[in-house]
């Protein structure tokens, strides 16, 4: 099969562009620590909502979604804290979106989701349920309140 | 080509029923933009609840319209290129299975017993008839493939050295993808969900159900898209007044779709638990693989259009564009196709953003997503489907288009509405506006503590676009049924435009047989899905009981 020179060039450029895409993706993932959520094996311990303070700026939040609330509903942390969110659902599928921080997870029955995020600026961050979870879905919201200590 | 009455009747029904249902589908589209913009602060309107309407919208527009059309268009291409009709009994069997399924599911949805959206994620439980209806729709759509495969084999025996017509190749590849991917959703529905919804089993593994659904779900979007691709490769160059730039490009693209349409489904589950990051990343890379045939298509079509424009006397770098038949009543398909392609430029770019692994966390399940896929499924797919339905109907029935001038304007009206709508949705999504949410009762209600002022402009833009799309959609439906009610001008025949190829490459045997590709397809699917299913199995906890949409307490027992 004879391939035209210009066609060969186009194929080369295409491959190079895809390479560039993959590289940027990996670069951003490493540099900005922007990864998709981690998965953990199921463990019943995460079905108990709680906030653990590990040290002055490190927190663990066990967030439990249910129709139609997140528990804990208000999470207070100081500026500069790094928070590990562990997420599960007691019933149907829910979403967990902190849009300002690009936290985006699904809460699924019988499964534990996890992500880590650092809150560098004071403010009130909405956690919005963004998966349809029944008639009360549009009212399902929690907040992270980040203050100076 | 002359065809039998029976053939005509099946095709008419398979084209007209979904267009009639579109009145409900598009009505709810408009309503959703009204609620979401906070014009309505209520949970239901005219006795139909927001989420009930959204379920109808998704099921009718994205499952019923697309499946009925794919089957009808498949019959048309196969019959037209082989100059023989498919088996009548099987055509009717397939039609009745699909229609029965749709009626069952519609009953459940209209009764408010299946407001679970078109993805029906457990453990939200729908009425068993909803699942059964979905299963029948799918099984009915399997039937024709086996008959077409028989016809193809017969044809190939007599024409071993002739290239399979591109349209036939596209139809067969599309239905092979469809058959393989629907096996997973058939398993989900028949084995996991129906017994569970009837109370025969107590719990369901939600993670497994989601993973099986998305094994099907991404390939589903290619099942929507490939009939449009077949039209773009084999019809568009002709109606534009030119030739297909390269025939081989089309074949390569189609076979790449066969390889990559299915083993990418986890890109819909980047935010899910139980699946490891490595598996998600691998599916992300394979998704870039599936973008290659789409780019091949984009450039081949652009070259074909440029050829057409120059042949019609266009000059200069861009001058050829003005010579294309934008508003030609006798080539009205051009308007529908080009409108779809304009939207698809934006649909494709936003799609690559969605696929890009951690970039997905910016947009997943926000309004950005409907913003994206209305420029694919409600763009080239929808415009291709409705334009071609009207074309086939008018040729086959021997009737004239009722409003020919308006008919060339409708697609552009749709495009304008869609660009405004999608801009609003995408912008809102970037500001965190959730999808699948009746925003009007909470976030877009100034009296509610959840009110978000920053979502007012974005939802208003979506509303404006939605109104324009609604008008365009209704005008189409009006024109379609006015054409049906019109007088017969001639006996009617089966006719679709056929494009010649500008580069009609020699037959390459590898690109004219299925076996090696099917084997490769299977291998890639196993590579992609064995690890995913292994993860799900290892990391899942107990299964979930049944939940109704209005009650946090599970249904412990179903009346037995
Ligand atoms: C007048 C035209 C239309 C309007 C105004 C419209 C509007 C909308 C809106 C606002 C949503 C998002 C609702 C939400 O997430 O809360 C939506 C969802 C959707 N639309 Fe449309 N739409 C239209 C036509 C179409 C067409 C023609 C198709 C397909 C052929 C389509 C397919 C879908 C699908 C699949 C969904 C997702 C449903 C779900 O999330 O469960 N739409 N539409
Ligand atoms: Cu929700
Ligand atoms: Cu996909």
């Amino acid at each position: 099969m004879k391939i035209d020179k210009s066609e060969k060039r186009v194929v080369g450029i295409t491959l190079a562009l895809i390479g560039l895409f993959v590289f940027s993706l990996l670069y951003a993932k490493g540099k900005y620590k922007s990864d998709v959520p981690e998965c953990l094996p199921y463990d019943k311990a995460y079905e108990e909502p709680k906030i653990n303070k590990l040290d002055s700026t490190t927190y663990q939040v066990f967030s439990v979604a249910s129709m139609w609330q997140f528990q804990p509903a208000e999470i207070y942390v100081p500026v500069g804290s790094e928070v590990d969110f562990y997420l599960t659902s007691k019933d149907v599928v829910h979403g967990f979106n902190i849009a300002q921080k690009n936290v985006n997870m699904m809460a699924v029955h019988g499964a534990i989701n996890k992500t880590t995020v650092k809150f560098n600026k004071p403010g009130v961050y909405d956690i919005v349920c963004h998966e349809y979870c029944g008639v009360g879905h549009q009212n399902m919201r929690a907040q992270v309140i980040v203050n100076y200590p | 080509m002359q065809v039998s009455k029976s053939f005509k009747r099946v095709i008419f029904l398979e084209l007209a029923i979904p267009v009639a249902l579109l009145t409900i589908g598009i009505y709810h589209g408009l309503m959703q933009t009204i609620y979401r913009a906070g014009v309505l602060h209520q949970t239901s309107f005219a006795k139909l609840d927001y989420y009930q309407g959204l379920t109808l919208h998704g099921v009718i527009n994205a499952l019923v319209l697309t499946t009925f059309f794919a089957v009808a268009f498949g019959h048309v291409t196969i019959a037209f290129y082989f100059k023989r009709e498919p088996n009548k009994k099987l055509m009717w069997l397939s039609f009745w299975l699909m229609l029965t399924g749709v009626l069952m599911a519609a009953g459940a949805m209209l009764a408010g017993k299946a407001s679970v959206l078109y993805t029906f994620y457990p453990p939200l439980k729908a009425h068993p008839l909803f699942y059964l209806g979905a299963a029948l729709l799918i099984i009915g759509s399997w039937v024709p493939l086996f008959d077409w495969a028989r016809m193809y084999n017969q044809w190939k025996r007599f024409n071993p050295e002739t290239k399979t017509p591109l349209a036939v190749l596209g139809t067969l590849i599309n239905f092979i993808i469809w058959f393989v991917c629907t096996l997973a959703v058939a398993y989900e529905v028949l084995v996991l969900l129906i017994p569970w919804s009837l109370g025969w089993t107590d719990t369901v593994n939600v993670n497994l159900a989601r993973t099986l659904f998305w094994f099907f779900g991404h390939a589903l979007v290619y099942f929507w898209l490939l009939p449009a691709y077949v039209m773009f490769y084999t019809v568009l160059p002709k109606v534009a007044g030119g030739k297909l730039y390269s025939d081989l490009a089309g074949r390569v693209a189609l076979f790449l779709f066969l390889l990559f349409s299915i083993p990418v489904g986890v890109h819909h589950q980047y935010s899910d638990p139980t699946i490891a990051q490595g598996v998600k990343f691998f599916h992300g890379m394979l998704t870039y693989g599936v973008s290659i045939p789409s780019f091949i298509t984009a450039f081949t079509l652009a070259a074909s259009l440029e050829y057409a424009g120059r042949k019609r006397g266009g000059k200069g770098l861009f001058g050829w564009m003005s010579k294309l038949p934008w508003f030609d009543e006798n080539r009205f398909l051009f308007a529908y196709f080009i409108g779809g392609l304009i939207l698809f430029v934006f649909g494709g770019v936003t799609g690559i953003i969605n696929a890009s692994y951690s970039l997905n966390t910016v947009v997943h399940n926000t309004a950005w997503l409907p913003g994206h896929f209305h420029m694919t499924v409600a763009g080239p797919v929808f415009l291709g489907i409705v334009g071609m339905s009207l074309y086939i109907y008018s040729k086959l029935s021997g009737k004239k288009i009722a409003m020919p001038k308006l008919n060339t304007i409708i697609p552009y009206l749709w495009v304008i509405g869609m660009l405004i709508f999608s801009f609003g949705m995408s912008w809102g999504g970037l500001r965190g506006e959730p999808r699948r949410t009746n925003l009007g009762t909470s976030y877009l209600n100034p009296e509610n503590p959840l009110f978000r002022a920053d979502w007012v402009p974005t939802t208003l833009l979506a509303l404006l676009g939605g109104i324009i799309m609604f008008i365009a959609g209704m005008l189409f439906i009006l024109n379609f049924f006015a054409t049906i009610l019109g007088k017969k001008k001639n006996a009617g025949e089966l006719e679709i435009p056929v494009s010649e190829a500008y580069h009609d490459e020699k037959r390459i045997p590898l690109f004219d047989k299925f076996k090696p590709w099917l084997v490769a397809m299977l291998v890639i699917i196993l590579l992609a899905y064995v690890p995913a299913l292994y993860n799900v199995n290892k990391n899942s906890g107990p299964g979930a009981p049944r939940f109704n949409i209005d009650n946090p307490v599970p249904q412990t027992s179903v009346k037995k």
Side-chain angles (χ1 to χ4, degrees), chain B residues 290-325:
Chain B
V290 90
S291 69
I292 293 174
S294 283
F295 277 112
I296 293 179
T297 304
F299 291 118
T300 308
L301 295 181
S304 310
L305 291 178
E306 181 177 349
Y307 176 79
R310 296 203 185 282
K311 218 174 122 193
R312 296 165 68 95
K315 299 245 156 35
L317 198 53
F318 296 108
W320 55 270
M321 291 186 180
S322 64
K323 294 286 180 195
L324 293 170

Side-chain angles (χ1 to χ4, degrees), chain A residues 1 25 29 34-37 39 42 67-68 91 99 104 106 108-110 113 126 130-132 134-135 137-138, chain B residues 51 115 207 270-272 274 277 288 357-358 361 364-365 436-437 441-443 452 539 541-543 547-549:
Chain A
M1 192 166 47
L25 214 148
K29 176 159 117 63
S34 70
D35 211 324
V36 301
C39 73
Y42 175 76
M67 293 156 97
W68 295 278
D91 40 57
N104 201 325
M106 306 310 294
V108 183
H109 185 103
N113 220 340
D126 276 359
H130 63 0
E131 180 59 275
Y132 169 62
V135 296
H137 164 55
Q138 62 283 347
Chain B
Y51 299 106
S115 300
N207 299 289
Y270 285 143
S271 298
D272 267 34
T274 72
Q277 289 170 332
Y288 283 159
Y357 196 64
S358 44
T361 56
H364 176 73
N365 264 4
R436 303 186 137 179
T437 306
T441 61
S442 56
Y443 298 106
R452 288 281 299 253
N539 295 328
F547 289 92
N548 273 335
I549 57 167

